[in-house]
Amino acid sequence: DWMQRAAGHTPAATIMAICPDNGLAARPRTLGSKTAVFMEESVVANKLLSYSLCTLLLAGGQSLLAEDVTFEQILSRLQQTEQRLVELEQAKSNPFRNASSPDTSNLPLAFPYEDEGQDEDEDVGAEKSGKDDEPSFEDRLQKLEAGWSELDDAWSAFDKAEKKKKADAAKKPTFKIGGRIHADYWDFINDDGGVGFLENPISGAATDGSDPEDRFAFRRIRLEMSGDIKETMLWRVQLDFNKPGTPEMKDVYIGFKNLPNNQQLLIGNQKRPLGLDHINSSRFNVFTERPFVIEAFNEDARRPGVCMYGHTDDESINWRYGAYLMENVVTDGSYLGDQRQMSLNFRVVGSPWYDESSKGRGYFHWAVAGMFAKPDGDDTNTDGHSNEGRFRTRPEARSNSRWLDTGRIAGADWYETLAVEGLLNVGPLQVAGEYMHNFMQRDGFADTQFGGGYVYANYMLTGEHIPYNRTSGTIGRLEPFEDFFLMDRCGGGKARGWGAWGVAARYSYLDLSDADILGGVGESGSLALNWYWTAFSKLQFNLVYGDIDDRNPATGTDGGTYLIAGTRFAIDF
């Protein structure tokens, strides 16, 4: 491609000169009514032209084709070198040029040809007779070497300028863009009447609501932008357009990196460090939706706050700690008022075993996390804020309503949530689990305790493993041994790849009923089949069976059972 573009600046002879076949230049030429082919292998020409070609290739096509003065200088030197080679070859090999013959001085290599009635020995003699008037071969070679020296100097200047451009670019803020699309279909296969009420409660009536409806929806349509500000700062913006009428902001923060002790400080809307399955990216999780307990005690995860992240030099320990507002501001992007419902959060992670030799096919992870929160249980929403002492979650599927829900707990004054988590991976097998317990102190009401957890096992049928990031304490991107594809072969037949296949099972439990609070007790079992087309795309299928008891709002029911199937088409970029 760069040769073709260079042809716009260079005579055709130049292109012929830099494209020899092992030093052999050949070109048909018409002289009068005769057509001859001039061929001669020249050791000097071969070396010099090969050096020319290698220099251009090493320089890189795109850099040399930049339309600037430096390139023109380099091209000029190359043309001068070419002309000198032409003159050398003509002087040595072509004594039969005369006035009646076409001018061949612009050809890259001019070689003697055989014609009828000509004697080759006489031709050579004629050439020698006129050779004394021309510079010696050594003089011409010396000039040629001087030309190459100037060419090298020009290239050095060009290379220095390119490096300076890159260094200057590193001093400016950087920008990169990404995103993800998750398209879901949910089929509410079977449920009893109580579950229908939980999905669509009828105000003021102790009767069942309508059954949950099947649905197709975009779970996530996210655009992500991020970058660095010189060497010490970073930024990130992530917006979700799954509801086009009311977009939501997700990660929106600025930060300082390369702080002492391998730390960075983030300021803005970010995930609170509570719950492995929440801190994991939705791009990598094994199941389409997170377990009961994860959503109940850390609903939507992200809040405005300030958080410090760090890890040890050997990456065996990492930590996060920070302070956050409790109000969710993803739709309005602001907090107005003096209420100050806030929380302190922390998470400490260890990975005492990580098999470096197999690139992480084996590892063990443990973590402890906690949240200390100060809600306002006396708030009546008169100032635009609500009591944040509340825990609720969906049935591990995308329903309209949260089927387990304490409501806003009256008198909520303080609460503490403590969590433990574990993760073991041995080759294609991964086992993970978490447990959380909540202690709430109430003003004028009985204190309460809630708790729950989950455990799952995932097995990759095609032998891959789920990677692990030691500096963040989270799982990473699975890469199939071969991508999924299907196409025609050039020689006939079909070529195909199967991608990666995994199966998983999860048990989940949550108890949100205690004292006068009847948020419900839920149990759920899920089966998952994951087909990874590539490292950036996959198809997920979940089958969820669950049961809810002890869910008794003033106008409702005790609960019920349900069976739900969900399918997700997911890509990220």
Side-chain angles (χ1 to χ4, degrees):
D1 179 66
W2 63 265
M3 285 182 178
Q4 294 175 356
R5 293 175 60 186
H9 303 274
T10 311
T14 304
I15 305 301
M16 291 295 296
I18 65 174
C19 298
D21 183 8
N22 294 326
L24 190 65
R27 175 168 180 160
R29 181 185 311 159
T30 301
L31 298 177
S33 61
K34 302 290 185 179
T35 300
V37 176
F38 297 79
M39 293 186 176
E40 176 174 309
E41 181 161 0
S42 170
V43 176
V44 175
N46 183 36
K47 290 183 178 180
L48 292 176
L49 292 174
S50 297
Y51 176 59
S52 172
L53 178 59
C54 291
T55 302
L56 289 172
L57 291 176
L58 289 173
Q62 292 182 350
S63 296
L64 284 179
L65 290 174
E67 299 282 342
D68 53 31
V69 176
T70 304
F71 171 80
E72 297 297 340
Q73 292 175 347
I74 295 173
L75 189 58
S76 175
R77 295 301 180 190
L78 183 59
Q79 290 173 325
Q80 294 175 17
T81 302
E82 173 203 49
Q83 184 61 34
R84 288 169 184 161
L85 281 173
V86 172
E87 294 172 358
L88 287 172
E89 292 295 341
Q90 290 173 343
K92 181 167 70 74
S93 305
N94 192 10
F96 290 103
R97 194 184 314 125
N98 54 55
S100 61
S101 301
D103 183 8
T104 61
S105 61
N106 288 330
L107 290 174
L109 295 174
F111 304 112
Y113 64 95
E114 293 182 4
D115 202 356
E116 296 179 0
Q118 290 181 327
D119 184 272
E120 185 174 356
D121 293 335
E122 293 178 0
D123 294 342
V124 174
E127 178 189 20
K128 291 181 178 179
S129 64
K131 200 172 182 180
D132 295 338
D133 297 333
E134 298 180 2
S136 67
F137 181 84
E138 289 76 11
D139 291 340
R140 292 179 179 274
L141 186 59
Q142 186 176 4
K143 291 181 180 180
L144 186 62
E145 290 175 348
W148 279 116
S149 178
E150 294 178 7
L151 183 64
D152 287 340
D153 293 341
W155 167 249
S156 297
F158 177 81
D159 186 52
K160 183 177 180 180
E162 287 296 305
K163 290 180 179 179
K164 184 177 184 302
K165 289 180 182 178
K166 293 180 180 180
D168 291 342
K171 299 176 182 179
K172 300 178 181 179
T174 61
F175 174 87
K176 62 181 180 180
I177 189 168
R180 71 194 73 170
I181 301 173
H182 293 173
D184 290 7
Y185 178 77
W186 291 97
D187 186 353
F188 291 82
I189 300 172
N190 188 29
D191 58 81
D192 59 27
V195 168
F197 178 84
L198 298 178
E199 173 71 352
N200 297 292
I202 300 175
S203 177
T207 59
D208 299 337
S210 59
D211 293 337
E213 296 181 349
D214 299 344
R215 67 203 63 199
F216 170 83
F218 285 101
R219 178 68 172 89
R220 297 177 180 91
I221 307 175
R222 290 191 187 173
L223 289 179
E224 306 166 6
M225 294 151 283
S226 61
D228 296 325
I229 304 176
K230 295 191 174 181
E231 296 83 5
T232 58
M233 293 189 69
L234 71 157
W235 63 275
R236 180 178 173 87
V237 175
Q238 185 185 81
L239 302 175
D240 200 327
F241 298 93
N242 66 324
K243 298 178 181 177
T246 55
E248 297 180 350
M249 70 176 198
K250 296 298 182 180
D251 289 334
V252 181
Y253 56 72
I254 61 174
F256 296 87
K257 60 179 182 176
N258 299 325
L259 298 176
N261 300 317
N262 306 310
Q263 295 191 110
Q264 66 178 15
L265 179 68
L266 301 185
I267 305 168
N269 209 55
Q270 56 191 298
K271 288 183 177 181
R272 296 182 294 190
L274 182 66
L276 169 64
D277 212 78
H278 238 325
I279 297 176
N280 287 338
S281 172
S282 61
R283 298 170 296 170
F284 310 142
N285 274 339
V286 174
F287 294 85
T288 55
E289 294 296 322
R290 295 181 168 98
F292 286 144
V293 68
I294 297 297
E295 283 290 343
F297 292 141
N298 193 11
E299 181 182 340
D300 294 338
R302 293 175 176 85
R303 297 292 188 277
V306 179
C307 188
M308 183 75 79
Y309 301 71
H311 60 84
T312 58
D313 290 337
D314 64 0
E315 300 183 351
S316 63
I317 302 290
N318 68 80
W319 58 86
R320 307 181 187 193
Y321 58 90
Y324 300 84
L325 294 172
M326 295 182 67
E327 184 173 316
N328 194 343
V329 299
V330 297
T331 56
D332 56 21
S334 64
Y335 176 91
L336 301 175
D338 301 325
Q339 198 175 39
R340 300 289 191 275
Q341 298 185 79
M342 299 188 69
S343 71
L344 298 176
N345 292 65
F346 75 90
R347 181 176 184 248
V348 179
V349 180
S351 53
W353 174 50
Y354 184 84
D355 189 1
E356 296 278 3
S357 62
S358 65
K359 298 182 179 179
R361 283 183 63 84
Y363 52 84
F364 173 69
H365 150 112
W366 62 264
V368 294
M371 178 165 64
F372 303 91
K374 181 70 170 79
D376 185 355
D378 298 327
D379 195 294
T380 59
N381 199 27
T382 56
D383 56 358
H385 300 280
S386 299
N387 169 22
E388 298 298 334
R390 181 181 191 178
F391 309 106
R392 57 180 183 166
T393 185
R394 290 183 171 87
E396 300 181 352
R398 295 310 294 177
S399 58
N400 286 339
S401 304
R402 274 108 169 158
W403 294 2
L404 295 162
D405 189 353
T406 63
R408 301 193 184 276
I409 300 175
D413 190 26
W414 284 90
Y415 72 76
E416 303 80 38
T417 302
L418 300 179
V420 294
E421 58 188 73
L423 180 63
L424 174 65
N425 197 95
V426 181
L429 176 65
Q430 182 175 97
V431 180
E434 295 187 68
Y435 180 79
M436 296 186 186
H437 202 85
N438 177 271
F439 306 86
M440 176 172 281
Q441 297 81 52
R442 303 169 68 191
D443 184 10
F445 299 86
D447 294 348
T448 58
Q449 294 187 37
F450 309 118
Y454 71 91
V455 61
Y456 78 73
N458 177 79
Y459 186 80
M460 295 305 302
L461 300 174
T462 45
E464 293 85 353
H465 74 285
I466 298 177
Y468 177 74
N469 188 328
R470 298 188 80 188
T471 61
S472 64
T474 59
I475 62 174
R477 184 186 302 279
L478 184 145
E479 297 189 8
F481 290 150
E482 67 170 5
D483 291 340
F484 168 70
F485 65 92
L486 180 64
M487 62 184 66
D488 293 328
R489 293 182 183 273
C490 294
K494 306 291 183 184
R496 59 176 55 86
W498 292 107
W501 292 77
V503 293
R506 178 175 70 189
Y507 171 76
S508 183
Y509 173 82
L510 178 65
D511 184 354
L512 293 181
S513 292
D514 188 31
D516 60 319
I517 305 300
L518 298 176
V521 177
E523 292 184 87
S524 175
S526 300
L527 298 176
L529 175 65
N530 296 317
W531 183 13
Y532 298 84
W533 296 328
T534 69
F536 303 92
S537 58
K538 61 184 176 181
L539 172 66
Q540 295 181 277
F541 175 78
N542 284 190
L543 185 65
V544 183
Y545 176 81
D547 175 74
I548 295 176
D549 293 316
D550 206 15
R551 175 79 167 91
N552 189 25
T555 61
T557 180
D558 187 59
T561 61
Y562 53 88
L563 179 65
I564 307 172
T567 303
R568 172 171 296 167
F569 299 90
I571 67 166
D572 68 273
F573 54 89

